[in-house]
Amino acid sequence: MKYLIVGAVAGGASTAARLRRLDEHAEIIIFEKGEYISYANCGLPYYIGDVIKDRNKLFVQTATAFNQRFNIDVRTTTEVTQINYIEKTVTAVKQISGEIYEESYDKLILSPGAEPLRPPIPGITTEGIFTLRNVKDTDYIKSYTQHKDVKKVVVIGAGFIGLEMAENFHDLGLEVTIIEMGNQILAPIDFPVAAIVQQHIRSKGINLRLSTAVTGFSKTGKQIEVVLNNGEVLIADMVLLSIGVRPDTRLAVQAGLKIGTARGIWVNEYLQTSDPDIYAVGDAIEFENPITGQSMITYLAGPANKQGRICANNVVLGNVQKYHGSINTAIVKVFDMTVGTAGTASKHLKTANINHIVSTTHNGSHAAYYPDAKQMTIQIVFSPVDGRLLSAQIAGYDGVDKRLDILSSYIKQNKCIYDLIEFEHAYAPPYSSAKDPINMAGFVAENIFLDRLKIFYWNEINKIKTDDILLDVRRDDEYKFGKIEGAINIPVDEIRERLNEIPQGKTIYIYCEAGLRGYLAQRILRQRGFDNVFNLSGGYNLWKICTAELTL
């Protein structure tokens, strides 16, 4: 058998290695238009920022080492330009010499990846404007920062890469402005969690501009003028475009392969394209979202590597393993904070008309009495029908990754909120509390699910009528330091003795700092004859952060 693979890095290289492990006698050829076949794409920002100092550590495998270990013919700087599916051949071009030739195949695997978006904005080809997608881009950016007296950088786009680059530029001592067209950072995350991280970014001296678009660039001396849609002009020494990517489907389109509704290469559950002898993996393919059922594309290394293994199994053994899709689990370091997501955000569930409940909790990363416990915010989304978990988002300083991994695993396995309650963790004071934040998220969700806890959200304060009661159950000193306008204050520890101050027959909206005291107050009132009592999910602190971000 002869296998051709177009594109290396995550999907293609993992497919090739697995093919060899399954078939020692096959002829395997990888075509890669770049110079490198397997490198740490996600590590590129940290090399630019000097966190990773040795460039060679970015490379997982060299072409020579890959060939030596796996006996695979690796052809770098060689681009496949055409597929002839009838003759089962591809046309390739050696980029250095210009030589054009054909290569036949029995099975073809496409792993062309994605390409950065460069919209037709006037002046976008100006010197000093970069995108970051590969090692070549990285070398250009690093060289430019070192040799061009760069002091001011504008990062356009506040996605995962944009935020990582902003942090690394900042750590190099540069003045950084982030421009984001949306009303929040990190589009896969819901606004309340994003708002927490936005405030942290601003605390670092970053100029974060949301709901702002760039309309043009121009060179002025050695600097770049960045023109905004409000007429303002920013001056930068360098600009990084991080406004997203799109699947590279050019070969697939040329070959007449089916393109899906998400504009990626359509594949079936075996990662097989519309041509039975052509498979595809990685950033260019689309598949069914296991939560919404809609077609989606994911630009993540983890799924691409897993797809490569599954694809090789199916190519060699004959469609024996199904790919069950990705729930887009992702995490990013943003200065001192960590924020991550798994599953489908509430805003996207709304768009898909999927009914759901959102619950937000705040807990320490480990036991409060052990030094350096840090607060983390966990938002989970679940079905009101059966409690099935639909998504999880976490923002915090310590222990975010391990909680996100647990929640991601549960979402992928169609687990429900009761599984969070029963989650048994490794507990010692330096690592967690006897009730882990995962358990706490489950406890609160169960109370909501069983109607022991009625909640309202930060953006529903304006729905409170003048005849309703807004009740602050924090301590007097907390209330005096800051409150929601119109609230009366009865601390939770005094509420039993002051029931006569709360009118019967009114709808009561309670809040405390984080949600726990509000829940306790609600339980007291509901068992004392007050029927319509709601508690602010996420508490006063989350409301304060979200409303502050909206007013900027």
Side-chain angles (χ1 to χ4, degrees), residues 131-431:
T131 57
L132 176 61
R133 187 63 184 168
N134 52 40
V135 176
K136 190 175 183 179
D137 295 337
T138 304
D139 290 338
Y140 283 153
I141 293 169
K142 193 170 181 70
S143 176
Y144 203 86
T145 58
Q146 290 174 334
H147 300 111
K148 294 290 186 177
D149 193 29
V150 174
K151 292 185 175 65
K152 294 182 179 181
V153 179
V154 171
V155 176
I156 301 174
F160 290 91
I161 298 298
L163 294 184
E164 287 176 341
M165 285 304 304
E167 177 185 347
N168 279 280
F169 283 141
H170 178 270
D171 289 349
L172 289 174
L174 307 181
E175 182 182 323
V176 181
T177 297
I178 302 174
I179 306 295
E180 169 56 49
M181 188 164 24
N183 69 339
Q184 66 166 77
I185 63 170
L186 299 172
I189 290 174
D190 287 309
F191 178 78
V193 177
I196 295 170
V197 185
Q198 287 165 197
Q199 291 217 334
H200 181 65
I201 292 170
R202 297 183 200 279
S203 75
K204 296 296 181 179
I206 302 296
N207 183 10
L208 176 60
R209 305 286 193 93
L210 301 172
S211 303
T212 304
V214 175
T215 59
F217 304 96
S218 62
K219 197 79 169 178
T220 172
K222 294 183 178 180
Q223 294 182 307
I224 303 166
E225 289 187 345
V226 183
V227 184
L228 307 182
N229 58 347
N230 61 4
E232 188 177 356
V233 177
L234 303 179
I235 301 298
D237 300 305
M238 177 180 173
V239 173
L240 179 77
L241 297 175
S242 185
I243 52 180
V245 296
R246 62 184 166 208
D248 186 348
T249 59
R250 288 170 294 184
L251 264 181
V253 170
Q254 175 274 315
L257 300 179
K258 180 179 177 180
I259 302 299
T261 56
R263 309 313 302 159
I265 302 172
W266 178 89
V267 293
N268 64 15
E269 57 194 356
Y270 301 106
L271 299 172
Q272 192 174 34
T273 71
S274 52
D275 184 312
D277 291 319
I278 304 176
Y279 290 71
V281 297
D283 294 353
I285 71 168
E286 69 172 68
F287 47 83
E288 184 178 291
N289 184 305
I291 295 172
T292 67
Q294 299 173 343
S295 288
M296 63 173 282
I297 299 169
T298 187
Y299 304 107
L300 298 169
N305 276 280
K306 296 176 184 69
Q307 291 162 15
R309 181 183 176 89
I310 293 169
C311 176
N313 291 345
N314 292 331
V315 166
V316 175
L317 304 174
N319 289 356
V320 294
Q321 185 177 0
K322 295 180 180 180
Y323 177 62
H324 298 293
S326 165
I327 59 169
N328 270 357
T329 302
I331 195 166
V332 61
K333 177 183 179 293
V334 185
F335 295 96
D336 306 319
M337 289 197 78
T338 301
V339 58
T341 178
T344 304
S346 171
K347 59 187 177 182
H348 298 139
L349 291 170
K350 287 178 184 176
T351 302
N353 294 315
I354 296 176
N355 198 15
H356 62 280
I357 296 171
V358 179
S359 175
T360 304
T361 52
H362 310 284
N363 294 101
S365 55
H366 58 250
Y369 58 83
Y370 189 86
D372 299 325
K374 299 287 187 1
Q375 191 84 341
M376 72 168 64
T377 298
I378 298 180
Q379 175 191 285
I380 61 170
V381 176
F382 58 94
S383 166
V385 177
D386 56 9
R388 177 193 169 194
L389 285 166
L390 303 175
S391 76
Q393 297 172 18
I394 310 180
Y397 296 86
D398 187 26
V400 170
D401 55 339
K402 71 175 181 178
R403 271 76 180 206
L404 184 68
D405 286 343
I406 294 158
L407 289 165
S408 172
S409 175
Y410 280 10
I411 294 167
K412 194 74 186 279
Q413 297 175 63
N414 294 324
K415 299 284 188 180
C416 71
I417 57 174
Y418 291 101
D419 294 294
L420 305 186
I421 294 171
E422 296 175 9
F423 166 64
E424 185 173 341
H425 60 293
Y427 162 59
Y431 305 107

Side-chain angles (χ1 to χ4, degrees), residues 461 464 470 472 479 482-488 511 540 543:
I461 293 290
I464 298 176
L470 181 59
D472 185 324
Y479 175 77
K483 64 182 183 297
I484 300 175
E485 191 67 32
I488 62 173
Y511 71 86
Y540 172 79
W543 170 85

